[in-house]
Amino acid sequence: MAIPWGTIKSLLIFFGPILLPKAISYYRSVRNSPRPAGVTIQPLPTPALRAISILVTNAIILIVQILPAFSPENVFARTQSRLQIPVDVLFNRLASLRPLTSDDEALRSRFVNLESRLLYLQFGPEVLARCPFCNAEDTRSYFYYALPALLAPHLTNLVLGSLATSSLVAGPHGPKWRVTTAVTCFLVAALDVYLASSYNYQANARALRLSDIDAFFWTARTIRYLGLAALDVVLATLLFLSSTNRAFVSPETPAARVDAVTRQLAATKSRLAAVGIVKNAAVRDEELRTRAAAYWQHEGRLMREVMEDREVVEGVNDALQNRIDIQDITRDADAYALNVLPRMEAMVPETMV
């Protein structure tokens, strides 16, 4: 049984003011959760960008398929005809607008009673025109024939969603959403099948004007594609938030933190070893050692001569007192030293303690 739009609006009006503030508070708490865990916001990784591109592209394709140029034609809406119009009059009007096709001829032979026209509004033109085993006496046969076409966009969306959340495409950022994506796709598909099977197509029998007709097939098709596009956009948003550490961040395991600290220590050790090799080579080579000693002797003598000049001394004192901030220089020196030899406290998050 379909839920009336008035009921949906009443539920939104009643529950909206209650749920909206809670949703905003939940979003803010989730967004701020990375900060206590020592996780910083990072640029969008390339694997996550690939996954988001797949989802957004699929959402755009789904939205394009809603446009009238890509939607099945409703002969009653196209000819502005009521449901009870005679068959010959209906298709004569349609022939005046465009050439008739084989599907139109099949529909002409099917529109012999009101039951077929009601089923046309529920399942669309392709089912009525092409089903080889359907008949108006067994209405479920039309549903069985329409079921594969109804499930096709859901299955396509499930495959693309699973691909976008796979480690092959999205790297380490996608698998956490894989189960959520699959469950959501199955629930949406099940809801769509339920609404299509439980729709009361006989309600259109009382429609005497075109505006009173409920074109269920076209309305459901539009909602279906919009819902799947919205699902892809939501999943792309979740991937963006989680991959950039803006929300839904899971703290690293102790093993991963130890591994990161070990790699940092190994990099620092390699730097120190490289410096030691260069210094050892310079000290062991007699020519390099002589040149280094001569350089520092010349440098020391030159600096002593410069600092004996009164104008230089006054300029240095003036710079130290008025133009140079010693604290800034100290911070720059600390940053340089930390870059060469990072402190262990910076490599180990506080959550490990």
Side-chain angles (χ1 to χ4, degrees):
M1 179 178 180
I3 301 176
W5 175 242
T7 304
I8 296 176
K9 289 195 295 185
S10 300
L11 292 175
L12 290 177
I13 292 174
F14 180 78
F15 290 104
I18 301 175
L19 298 179
L20 185 60
K22 294 183 178 296
I24 295 175
S25 301
Y26 174 75
Y27 169 74
R28 289 176 177 173
S29 63
V30 170
R31 183 178 181 180
N32 295 329
S33 61
R35 296 176 184 174
V39 180
T40 58
I41 295 177
Q42 63 180 3
L44 182 64
T46 301
L49 178 60
R50 287 197 301 265
I52 292 174
S53 300
I54 293 174
L55 294 170
V56 172
T57 302
N58 188 48
I60 294 174
I61 293 174
L62 290 170
I63 293 174
V64 169
Q65 291 182 4
I66 301 173
L67 300 178
F70 301 95
S71 299
E73 183 182 55
N74 185 348
V75 294
F76 296 102
R78 179 70 184 274
T79 60
Q80 294 296 301
S81 303
R82 60 190 179 89
L83 193 60
Q84 294 80 7
I85 188 173
V87 177
D88 292 336
V89 177
L90 174 64
F91 285 94
N92 287 338
R93 288 184 180 181
L94 186 62
S96 65
L97 297 174
R98 61 167 178 80
L100 296 180
T101 64
S102 58
D103 285 350
D104 296 328
E105 297 297 337
L107 288 176
R108 183 198 290 266
S109 63
R110 295 285 183 130
F111 281 180
V112 293
N113 53 34
L114 182 60
E115 188 78 8
S116 297
R117 303 185 185 196
L118 297 176
L119 292 171
Y120 172 85
L121 295 175
Q122 181 181 6
F123 297 110
E126 182 180 350
V127 175
L128 264 290
R130 301 182 183 180
C131 181
F133 58 84
C134 301
N135 58 80
E137 296 178 358
D138 183 12
T139 58
R140 299 299 294 179
S141 60
Y142 289 96
F143 172 72
Y144 298 143
Y145 184 82
L147 190 58
L150 188 150
L151 292 176
H154 293 284
L155 294 177
T156 302
N157 201 65
L158 174 61
V159 170
L160 292 177
S162 300
L163 178 64
T165 54
S166 64
S167 57
L168 179 65
V169 174
H173 312 287
K176 68 185 298 182
W177 301 110
R178 196 175 181 84
V179 176
T180 303
T181 301
V183 171
T184 305
C185 289
F186 278 119
L187 291 178
V188 172
L191 178 62
D192 195 4
V193 171
Y194 169 75
L195 293 177
S197 63
S198 62
Y199 174 72
N200 182 19
Y201 69 97
Q202 293 287 349
N204 280 320
R206 298 184 295 271
L208 300 179
R209 294 174 299 179
L210 179 63
S211 58
D212 297 333
I213 294 177
D214 179 17
F216 174 79
F217 171 78
W218 288 269
T219 303
R221 183 179 183 275
T222 300
I223 296 175
R224 180 182 307 121
Y225 285 123
L226 283 177
L228 292 177
L231 178 61
D232 290 339
V233 171
V234 170
L235 180 57
T237 303
L238 293 176
L239 277 173
F240 172 78
L241 294 176
S242 61
S243 62
T244 56
N245 293 337
R246 284 179 167 83
F248 310 106
V249 180
S250 300
E252 292 185 351
T253 61
R257 296 172 187 168
V258 171
D259 185 61
V261 171
T262 303
R263 288 196 302 268
Q264 193 69 261
L265 290 173
T268 303
K269 181 181 178 182
S270 299
R271 294 179 184 178
L272 293 175
V275 172
I277 291 173
V278 172
K279 183 177 180 181
N280 189 35
V283 172
R284 287 179 178 274
D285 188 270
E286 183 178 355
E287 181 180 356
L288 291 176
R289 187 171 61 251
T290 303
R291 292 177 61 181
Y295 168 80
W296 287 114
Q297 291 177 1
H298 174 73
E299 184 71 14
R301 183 174 63 255
L302 181 63
M303 291 303 299
R304 284 194 301 271
E305 294 176 356
V306 169
M307 294 304 297
E308 290 175 357
D309 191 299
R310 182 174 181 179
E311 294 181 357
V312 174
V313 174
E314 292 177 354
V316 171
N317 292 333
D318 179 66
L320 292 175
Q321 294 175 1
N322 303 318
R323 289 178 294 170
I324 298 178
D325 191 346
I326 297 299
Q327 294 181 353
D328 290 341
I329 296 177
T330 303
R331 283 194 295 269
D332 292 341
D334 290 340
Y336 177 79
L338 287 175
N339 187 41
V340 176
L341 296 173
R343 297 171 59 185
M344 293 300 104
E345 300 92 290
M347 294 186 294
V348 182
E350 295 181 359
T351 53
M352 289 188 62
V353 181

